[in-house]
Amino acid sequence: MDSLEWSRKFDIFSISRLSLNSSGIPHELVASLTDEDMYAIAERIADMVVQEPIEKIAEFVARLYIAEKGTGGA
């Protein structure tokens, strides 16, 4: 196997505004997130992935990020 084969990534998780809304975060809060916000949420999820079930991490991180950003909360 060459080095390109060894470095190939196999994604195991993705996050979208739709998935955040489906997890229970209100539409207006999710709609306020920029692509930069979404990247920041994804990075935080990646840091936590070994600690909890991924769905719970995604919801927790997104809600925390929104609260820290000061856009309100539910």
Side-chain angles (χ1 to χ4, degrees):
M1 231 183 249
D2 64 22
S3 63
L4 290 177
E5 288 294 317
W6 276 90
S7 63
R8 182 185 306 177
K9 293 182 179 181
F10 297 89
D11 296 330
I12 60 167
F13 181 76
S14 67
I15 191 163
S16 66
R17 289 172 182 86
L18 181 61
S19 65
L20 293 179
N21 183 239
S22 294
S23 75
I25 300 173
H27 180 269
E28 60 275 3
L29 293 179
V30 176
S32 74
L33 296 171
T34 65
D35 285 353
E36 184 176 292
D37 295 330
M38 293 298 294
Y39 282 117
I41 291 167
E43 286 177 6
R44 292 186 187 187
I45 293 168
D47 290 341
M48 298 177 72
V49 76
V50 297
Q51 299 172 22
E52 296 287 336
I54 195 70
E55 297 84 5
K56 292 294 183 187
I57 293 169
E59 179 183 357
F60 172 78
V61 170
R63 288 181 181 277
L64 180 62
Y65 184 88
I66 290 167
E68 289 172 351
K69 187 177 173 188
T71 57

